[in-house]
Amino acid sequence: MRVLTLAGRRLAASIPTLFLILIGVFLLLQLAPGDTVDALMAQMGGGDATTAKQLREFYGLDLSVWAQLGNYLWRLVRLDLGFSAIYGKPVATVIAERLPATILLMTASLSFAFFFGLILGVVAARGVNKWPDTLISTFGLMFYAMPTFWFGLMAIVVFSIYLQWLPAGGFEDIAVSYTGLRRTLDIALHLVLPTLTLGLFYMAIYLRIMRGSMLEVLNLDFVRTARSKGMDETRVVVRHVLRNALLPMVTLIGLQAGTMLGGSVVVESVFSLPGLGRLAYESVIQRDLNTLLGIVFVSALLVIAVNFIVDLLYARLDPRITAGS
Amino acid sequence: MDMTRRAALMTSAAIASSVLFPMRSFGQETPRKGGVFTVHYGAEQRQLNPSLQASTGVYIIGGKIQEQLVDLDAKGQPVGVLAESWEAAPDGKTITFKLRPGVTWHDGKPFTSADVQFTAMEMWKKILNYGTTLQLFLTAVDTPDPLTAVFRYERPMPLNLLLRALPDLGYVSPRHLYEGKGDIRQNPVNLAPVGTGPFKFVQYERGQHVIAERNPNYWRANAPYLDRIVWRVVTDRAAAAAQMEAGQIHYSPFSGLTISDSARLGKDPRFIVSTKGNEGNARTNTIEFNFRRKELADIRVRRAIAHALDIPFFIENFLGDFAKRGTGPIPSVSTDFYPADNGPQYPFDKKLAAKLLDEAGFKPGTGGTRFSLRLLPAPWGEDITLFATFIQQSLADVGIKVEIVRTDGGGYLKQVYDDHAFDLATGWHQYRNDPAVSTTVWYRSGQPKGAPWTNQWDWTDPTIDKLIDDAATEVDTAKRKALYGDFVRRANTELPIWTPIEQIFLTAISAKARNHSNTPRWGSSSWHDLWLAE
């Protein structure tokens, strides 16, 4: 129960942070030249000054920066994310439409990276300085160094163009409208390459962390004690070493939930996925302040939620955390 | 490196020209009904109604669903779509359109002159970009009967100008879905358009796709052939090329792929890469001079800058065979207005450039630099970025230091057209069949501050202003052409804007497509006769 109070206190503490982030992003975007009407004019390929003036009044852009910010925060307090200028819909609706793709992609990549990072890390640590370790570490380094967009494009060239096994982009097949299980399978197929592209980089990180912390824990006294009690090696690794080595991995998940949202911009563009990352990028280009702030708000909530779960996991893995003062 | 790229572009051009006329080589085939045609959609728009927004991004979807009064035929001449015939009064102040009978909207309501009246007065005249300028002097549209629309103008409107503007600025919207339904700009129909065209809107998933399907009650007999059109939203150019190769996309319009991918796909027999079907979408690369800078207000400096650039070298090495040297504000594809004599041109001559700068009193200072300029390249094409770098390097050779300032679309328009925070700007000018639609506003003085793609250079010339005004109301076609000839020569002499390169948009399309690229604005047209071979 203590862990819940602890996490709850953290949650409450993050609310002022959230507001500071939003105000910061709002002011930062004011520094970019041009507003949403300029972006709209660029998209139209021409227009006259009267139209521009009418549009500015319509979007409330003729008000002062502080009045706009005040309006925004007041709306936010009432949990209203405002209206998107590019999409002509409430921001909450726009984000809700894009959230599933991003959550799917993030969950799939994170699980993939965590699972394989863990297994490969353990294998490498068990055979340290022997051929499995060398092989895994080399591949890990390669995936770590490779730019995401390049890997994505190469994956498309190999698996979609030459082998024709997997679709080159999109969230699902639109030429045929599948339903039910067939649709789920179709979406899963479309997510294979993006998941690999986004996940391999993180897998490389997890692999190295797991290998390192395994090696560290393997040399600790309690492991020697366990071995001297005559426990077999698999039990030692699973019961004693793994559990302790997992702590840094879990910490990393919490930290990387945020960076992964950033990485998804590239992956979503390369694979034409309708996710939050691409929406954020387009909102900046279109100077759609409300949508961008809405995305920052939702991403911040996501990161807070992930960290909350990480806090709970900590307690499960290391009882000392709940017992601590 | 350059040689291989050039060779690649040449080969693709050769292949393109051999397949330019699909009807000739596939003349024996009978059109096949059915099939799904998938289109690369690179930049989503805020709405899809072409009566409210004149841009290729809207036409590529809305132009299949809604129709205009007049379109252009294969020879580039106006041909009736929703209008069957037209007639202008001798004074040019009344233009009467006879509308096509038996046409219905996709929701079953009949199409009548009331729709034309409402769209013209409430959309073209008040909201549509370029339409507000074109229809500035439109006072009323009379509807004596359901199939007659009489446009009344305060000042003479050349029929020749109106007919060339209407293919882009003449899309009709259904009155019954807009009138009395609040703010026209915010009407939900704008994102689920209802028209009279060959395809009916089905679904728009933002960030993913737009779908339209065959209109079974289309007024053209036996059309359209396709079952569906699917526009796939693909923002990344390299990803779009990959999806074409993987067979997920049939068509990428308006130079949607990178120059290198276009060249590569052009060599692949599964695709056709060409400029055919885009003659109505010609554009020139431009250099705009800010006259507020004393150096640039001196005509010798502007001429020196023009002489300092080796344009043929740039075209040959960076743009391939799809571009050519520009000659003035009116591109050579404009059969109606291209003048026999374009006035002074500025061939590459570094010595002359240096001499002109010396004469203007800008001698090289320390390190050989005469003065520095800020150059803003527009962010809508890799050719513009390349050209900006080329300008920077070429001008360094004659002692002008250029700093390139990069921005995105909104930032570019704000800095150039509102803040005037530029010395040189480089971008595109898109020509729209008649100079009065969107060309002359680049040169006419007195444009309000903040209006994009207008004369914001602080350049004033009463001679050119008068030529522009006279040509805009001249009803005699031959006299109009002569006036625009004078306009081009004057513009090339004074050089407020230089148009050194002329280009036509590139199309990449599957070799399975038939009846494509057969009109000068095909990408924007209705595709009623397009079909897919097995």
Side-chain angles (χ1 to χ4, degrees):
Chain A
M1 226 39 235
R2 268 194 87 141
V3 74
L4 275 181
T5 9
L6 184 82
R9 226 182 301 138
R10 282 244 190 121
L11 224 55
S14 48
I15 288 175
T17 322
L18 196 56
F19 269 87
L20 280 179
I21 292 173
L22 287 173
I23 294 171
V25 172
F26 184 94
L27 294 177
L28 263 181
L29 215 73
Q30 300 298 326
L31 296 178
D35 56 21
T36 191
V37 174
D38 289 311
L40 180 64
M41 290 288 182
Q43 195 183 67
M44 295 201 299
D48 53 65
T50 330
T51 321
K53 191 167 166 284
Q54 285 173 358
L55 284 171
R56 279 205 174 87
E57 279 165 22
F58 181 81
Y59 291 125
L61 295 167
D62 50 340
L63 302 173
S64 74
V65 172
W66 299 111
Q68 287 182 49
L69 178 62
N71 281 346
Y72 184 80
L73 291 178
W74 174 232
R75 275 204 313 268
L76 197 65
V77 169
R78 292 172 294 159
L79 291 178
D80 175 6
L81 290 178
F83 204 75
S84 156
I86 10 172
Y87 291 96
K89 292 186 212 177
V91 170
T93 318
V94 176
I95 293 177
E97 284 167 0
R98 297 295 188 99
L99 207 54
T102 298
I103 300 246
L104 260 180
L105 178 65
M106 273 180 65
T107 322
S109 313
L110 215 54
S111 333
F112 165 81
F114 190 81
F115 183 72
F116 285 96
L118 188 135
I119 293 188
L120 292 175
V122 171
V123 173
R126 296 283 293 122
V128 70
N129 293 333
K130 285 187 229 133
W131 71 266
D133 180 32
T134 319
L135 194 74
I136 290 171
S137 296
T138 313
F139 271 103
L141 207 63
M142 258 174 65
F143 291 134
Y144 184 73
M146 224 177 328
T148 316
F149 73 92
W150 187 81
F151 182 84
L153 287 172
M154 287 308 115
I156 292 177
V157 168
V158 174
F159 294 105
S160 306
I161 298 176
Y162 284 109
L163 298 172
Q164 307 229 330
W165 287 351
L166 293 163
F171 187 62
E172 58 187 309
D173 202 332
I174 27 176
V176 263
S177 339
Y178 293 122
T179 46
L181 199 66
R182 187 72 190 79
R183 180 163 180 244
T184 315
L185 191 72
D186 185 47
I187 293 177
L189 271 180
H190 277 82
L191 279 177
V192 172
L193 290 183
T195 302
L196 280 179
T197 307
L198 188 58
L200 277 173
F201 172 78
Y202 292 96
M203 191 196 80
I205 299 177
Y206 289 137
L207 181 163
R208 289 205 67 79
I209 298 290
M210 195 63 208
R211 180 180 174 274
S213 57
M214 277 285 287
L215 286 176
E216 196 190 320
V217 179
L218 274 171
N219 290 327
L220 293 180
D221 287 347
F222 75 89
V223 177
R224 206 175 327 144
T225 315
R227 277 186 183 144
S228 62
K229 282 194 298 187
M231 206 181 239
D232 73 278
E233 197 57 23
T234 321
R235 272 180 72 100
V236 171
V237 169
V238 175
R239 293 289 301 272
H240 294 273
V241 185
L242 203 58
R243 190 166 175 159
N244 285 289
L246 267 178
L247 269 181
M249 289 277 278
V250 173
T251 317
L252 218 59
I253 290 197
L255 288 172
Q256 282 178 342
T259 30
M260 214 165 212
L261 269 174
S264 67
V265 178
V266 174
V267 174
E268 283 169 12
S269 298
V270 169
F271 290 98
S272 325
L273 291 176
L276 223 48
R278 219 174 82 202
L279 185 69
Y281 176 75
E282 272 152 31
S283 313
V284 175
I285 296 290
Q286 301 278 344
R287 305 280 190 279
D288 189 355
L289 199 56
N290 280 352
T291 308
L292 188 70
L293 289 171
I295 295 168
V296 171
F297 182 72
V298 171
S299 323
L301 286 183
L302 264 182
V303 172
I304 291 172
V306 171
N307 280 292
F308 182 75
I309 297 169
V310 166
D311 281 348
L312 294 182
L313 273 178
Y314 266 2
R316 187 92 190 79
L317 288 169
D318 188 347
R320 278 174 303 174
I321 291 175
T322 23
S325 54
Chain B
M1 181 62 201
D2 276 334
M3 272 316 289
T4 41
R5 183 197 273 163
R6 219 189 128 208
L9 285 166
M10 307 252 284
T11 330
S12 67
I15 288 172
S17 57
S18 70
V19 279
L20 279 185
F21 307 102
M23 279 317 284
R24 191 179 290 164
S25 35
F26 301 111
Q28 313 303 323
E29 287 180 306
T30 26
R32 181 178 77 103
K33 280 250 178 194
V36 179
F37 190 65
T38 46
V39 184
H40 171 203
Y41 194 46
E44 283 181 276
Q45 309 288 314
R46 291 178 201 219
Q47 48 95 356
L48 300 175
N49 182 351
S51 318
L52 297 174
Q53 183 179 323
S55 67
T56 50
V58 169
Y59 302 144
I60 185 75
I61 295 176
K64 322 298 173 247
I65 296 160
Q66 287 178 251
E67 290 181 300
Q68 67 281 65
L69 292 176
V70 175
D71 201 356
L72 299 177
D73 69 6
K75 295 192 185 88
Q77 294 309 306
V79 55
V81 181
L82 288 178
E84 280 194 316
S85 63
W86 41 83
E87 196 180 20
D91 66 354
K93 290 187 176 175
T94 318
I95 295 173
T96 307
F97 286 94
K98 285 282 177 198
L99 306 179
R100 187 172 300 281
V103 176
T104 52
W105 295 101
H106 291 157
D107 63 2
K109 297 266 183 353
F111 158 76
T112 69
S113 54
D115 296 308
V116 177
Q117 182 196 48
F118 179 80
T119 309
M121 297 307 291
E122 301 300 320
M123 297 180 169
W124 302 348
K125 190 175 163 62
K126 291 186 184 163
I127 301 173
L128 180 65
N129 49 320
Y130 296 120
T132 50
T133 320
L134 178 78
Q135 307 291 9
L136 189 61
F137 299 108
L138 175 70
T139 50
V141 177
D142 297 344
T143 52
D145 66 68
L147 294 177
T148 309
V150 185
F151 283 62
R152 298 198 178 277
Y153 289 92
E154 208 175 304
R155 289 212 227 152
M157 164 64 84
L159 181 63
N160 161 290
L161 161 60
L162 189 63
L163 292 178
R164 271 162 188 77
L166 285 181
D168 276 352
L169 307 178
Y171 282 88
V172 185
S173 286
R175 178 182 198 139
H176 63 278
L177 296 178
Y178 281 95
E179 196 176 35
K181 303 262 160 75
D183 190 338
I184 289 176
R185 290 179 214 270
Q186 296 306 312
N187 194 312
V189 180
N190 296 338
L191 278 163
V194 172
T196 56
F199 296 94
K200 287 166 80 161
F201 174 85
V202 177
Q203 188 195 33
Y204 184 2
E205 288 283 340
R206 275 278 178 178
Q208 292 192 67
H209 58 254
V210 184
I211 299 175
E213 64 183 16
R214 178 210 311 273
N215 170 11
N217 304 316
Y218 189 49
W219 56 268
R220 276 186 173 106
N222 213 22
Y225 294 110
L226 299 168
D227 282 342
R228 278 182 158 204
I229 303 175
V230 173
W231 293 265
R232 300 180 69 110
V233 178
V234 183
T235 44
D236 187 81
R237 283 164 186 252
Q243 293 199 19
M244 276 199 87
E245 285 187 276
Q248 284 186 302
I249 288 177
H250 286 116
Y251 171 60
S252 176
F254 304 118
S255 306
L257 308 179
T258 61
I259 297 176
S260 55
D261 274 335
S262 300
R264 196 166 52 83
L265 292 189
K267 285 190 288 182
D268 187 329
R270 291 176 299 156
F271 306 102
I272 294 161
V273 177
S274 87
T275 57
K276 181 95 172 63
N278 293 324
E279 297 80 359
N281 293 111
R283 60 177 204 241
T284 45
N285 287 70
T286 54
I287 299 180
E288 295 113 72
F289 301 99
N290 191 348
F291 280 68
R292 295 166 190 90
R293 274 293 295 256
K294 68 171 191 321
E295 292 91 342
L296 296 174
D298 191 319
I299 191 164
R300 289 167 293 194
V301 174
R302 299 197 297 278
R303 287 177 177 162
I305 289 175
H307 279 300
L309 304 180
D310 190 351
I311 299 299
F313 174 86
F314 178 73
I315 292 175
E316 201 176 314
N317 290 289
F318 294 96
L319 303 180
D321 291 348
F322 298 117
K324 60 180 185 177
R325 204 187 158 101
T327 48
I330 299 177
S332 61
V333 284
S334 171
T335 40
D336 297 304
F337 296 104
Y338 189 67
D341 170 18
N342 278 287
Q345 303 293 312
Y346 299 89
F348 176 55
D349 189 340
K350 246 198 280 189
K351 279 202 191 103
L352 181 57
K355 194 171 144 248
L356 283 166
L357 290 170
D358 286 340
E359 277 173 22
F362 302 107
K363 303 273 187 207
T366 43
T369 304
R370 299 169 196 266
F371 54 89
S372 303
L373 294 173
R374 268 163 55 93
L375 167 65
L376 266 79
W380 20 88
E382 51 174 333
D383 56 328
I384 300 177
T385 317
L386 290 169
F387 193 46
T389 315
F390 186 70
I391 295 172
Q392 185 183 41
Q393 291 172 357
S394 305
L395 293 189
D397 287 351
V398 293
I400 301 173
K401 199 174 158 204
V402 174
E403 181 205 349
I404 296 179
V405 183
R406 289 186 203 284
T407 53
D408 58 6
Y412 173 79
L413 291 189
K414 169 93 175 141
Q415 290 188 61
V416 174
Y417 292 93
D418 208 354
D419 298 345
H420 303 146
F422 71 106
D423 298 321
L424 297 176
T426 180
W428 290 340
H429 163 59
Q430 196 164 336
Y431 181 75
R432 294 178 183 244
N433 303 312
D434 190 298
V437 180
S438 65
T439 304
T440 52
V441 290
W442 283 59
Y443 297 83
R444 177 71 172 84
S445 66
Q447 304 292 337
K449 187 172 176 264
W453 293 287
T454 63
N455 177 355
Q456 299 292 332
W457 344 116
D458 205 22
W459 181 63
T460 316
D461 179 16
T463 316
I464 220 147
D465 286 354
K466 187 170 183 314
L467 280 172
I468 289 170
D469 295 347
D470 289 351
T473 52
E474 176 56 63
V475 203
D476 186 314
T477 309
K479 280 188 196 153
R480 272 194 94 213
K481 185 174 175 176
L483 285 169
Y484 283 126
D486 292 342
F487 159 75
V488 169
R489 284 183 288 276
R490 180 85 185 166
N492 276 343
T493 311
E494 295 296 322
L495 219 61
I497 300 158
W498 192 37
T499 48
I501 303 164
E502 197 177 302
Q503 296 193 63
I504 297 178
F505 281 108
L506 265 183
T507 289
I509 192 165
S510 160
K512 285 183 189 161
R514 300 288 184 269
N515 280 350
H516 66 87
S517 312
N518 51 10
T519 64
R521 58 187 292 285
W522 187 77
S524 301
S525 74
S526 74
W527 298 355
H528 63 86
D529 58 347
L530 172 69
W531 59 281
L532 274 173
E534 293 282 3

